[in-house]
Amino acid sequence: MSIWEYANPRKFMQTSAWALPWVAGLAVVTLLTGLVWGFFFTVDDYRQGATVKILFVHVPAALMAVNSWLMMLVCSLIWLIRRHHVSALAAKAAAPVGVTMTLIALFTGAIWGQPMWGTWWAWDPRLTSFLILFLFYLGYIALWEAIEDPDTAADLTSVLCLVGSIFALLSRYAVNFWNQGLHQGASLSLAPGERMAMAFKLPLYVAMAGFVLLFVTLVLIRTRTEIRARRLRALEARGRMA
Amino acid sequence: MVELGKYAGPVLAAYGVSLGLVLALVWLTLWKSRKMRRKLETLEREMGLHG
């Protein structure tokens, strides 16, 4: 069986209907476990005090802000190369989830930054690239809404997605490219240096898994909605011609 | 109850904003999904396409 079979809307609807309850259930359990563990059952950090608990929403949201865009990039490339409608609709479906994650990362970062850095905002490479990524998300969503023909909208938004991918990657690797700014390096890097304690790392992994599963759940539901909207438009057009 | 000390404000604000945004997104996603499914089912019934 080929993976491209799932590009068939009927096959996608069947498979996603079967998978959704499992993924959604797992998302709720994992997310609640990660957040409750992180909030209630972790100790304060010796430098950051109780603000370290913000880690369990900030890092998973930032992870998903970047990865949502990368998922949209893959879907956009599939659309541009193979013209599968489900992939274009999946990219469209992921954008509101991605923009929400980016907003959460920006908000929680500012709330965390104020007591730790003494400022809500700094024009630091990582913060700035995240803000630009947020603006790209808004532009991407607006472009989908602004163009009536869905295929043209999919073409243009795919190109915008390719351009925005530079900022998605910059958001992730900015702290490595430019050794400046207030933001710390990668929280879960394998490189030698100061490492996060297991007491924080384990609940963080669970919260990250929860955010990934939440993203998958929401994108599946939203893609199904987009497929239905596309069928509705097709039937309405057929009705008008009859 | 967890002791947040002088950082209670920032920590609770971060969780409050995050959960609020996530819940709003989930609600909007489910609302749009239900609305579209009903619309499509109605049209399919009207056109005699749905059993």
Side-chain angles (χ1 to χ4, degrees):
Chain A
M1 194 173 88
S2 159
I3 191 172
W4 301 115
E5 277 186 35
Y6 295 97
N8 178 314
R10 191 180 290 271
K11 179 77 180 163
F12 180 88
M13 292 299 273
Q14 282 170 356
T15 313
S16 58
W18 173 84
L20 250 174
W22 297 98
V23 183
L26 209 55
V28 171
V29 171
T30 320
L31 200 58
L32 282 178
T33 307
L35 293 182
V36 169
W37 188 356
F39 188 86
F40 291 100
F41 301 105
T42 52
V43 292
D44 289 356
D45 180 65
Y46 76 102
R47 273 186 306 209
Q48 303 187 60
T51 63
V52 75
K53 293 179 192 298
I54 298 174
L55 176 84
F56 306 105
V57 284
H58 178 73
V59 171
L63 171 89
M64 289 323 297
V66 177
N67 286 350
S68 300
W69 194 276
L70 296 182
M71 175 258 171
M72 285 158 58
L73 170 67
V74 172
C75 290
S76 299
L77 286 172
I78 292 172
W79 164 254
L80 289 173
I81 296 164
R82 296 189 67 118
R83 314 302 283 180
H84 288 313
H85 285 100
V86 172
S87 66
L89 297 177
K92 183 184 180 187
V97 187
V99 78
T100 308
M101 294 297 162
T102 314
L103 201 56
I104 292 173
L106 285 168
F107 262 123
T108 53
I111 292 168
W112 199 355
Q114 213 288 326
M116 289 302 105
W117 299 337
T119 181
W120 299 96
W121 180 263
W123 295 101
D124 157 290
R126 180 167 271 188
L127 274 65
T128 308
S129 54
F130 252 85
L131 180 64
I132 296 172
L133 180 65
F134 175 69
L135 298 176
F136 261 99
Y137 268 118
L138 294 184
Y140 180 91
I141 294 167
L143 195 56
W144 263 109
E145 297 303 320
I147 300 166
E148 206 169 321
D149 178 57
D151 284 7
T152 310
D155 284 339
L156 295 178
T157 51
S158 295
V159 173
L160 180 67
C161 189
L162 295 183
V163 179
S165 301
I166 296 163
F167 288 96
L169 289 172
L170 271 182
S171 314
R172 172 165 288 175
Y173 297 110
V175 284
N176 302 345
F177 294 153
W178 296 294
N179 191 20
Q180 62 182 49
L182 290 171
H183 202 286
Q184 67 181 63
S187 304
L188 296 167
S189 168
L190 294 172
E194 198 174 355
R195 290 287 143 257
M196 189 187 292
M198 266 305 171
F200 300 121
K201 212 185 264 187
L202 290 178
L204 178 59
Y205 283 143
V206 180
M208 283 162 71
F211 270 74
V212 171
L213 289 165
L214 174 72
F215 171 78
V216 174
T217 305
L218 292 173
V219 171
L220 282 179
I221 297 172
R222 297 184 81 94
T223 307
R224 288 168 62 81
T225 304
E226 292 298 337
I227 289 172
R228 286 191 176 113
R230 187 169 176 270
R231 179 163 166 77
L232 186 81
R233 281 193 299 273
L235 289 178
E236 282 172 346
R238 196 201 289 181
R240 278 194 299 273
M241 286 165 75
Chain B
M1 188 59 197
V2 67
E3 188 56 59
L4 300 171
K6 62 178 176 173
Y7 296 125
V11 175
L12 293 176
Y15 274 80
V17 168
S18 305
L19 292 179
L21 284 170
V22 166
L23 289 176
L25 178 69
V26 169
W27 180 82
L28 200 66
T29 300
L30 294 176
W31 176 74
K32 276 182 84 173
S33 167
R34 282 198 196 109
K35 195 174 122 187
M36 187 54 66
R37 195 172 54 203
R38 270 201 301 267
K39 253 174 126 172
L40 183 60
E41 279 171 2
T42 307
L43 186 65
E44 283 179 335
R45 215 176 298 119
E46 282 171 11
M47 295 177 84
L49 296 169
H50 212 272

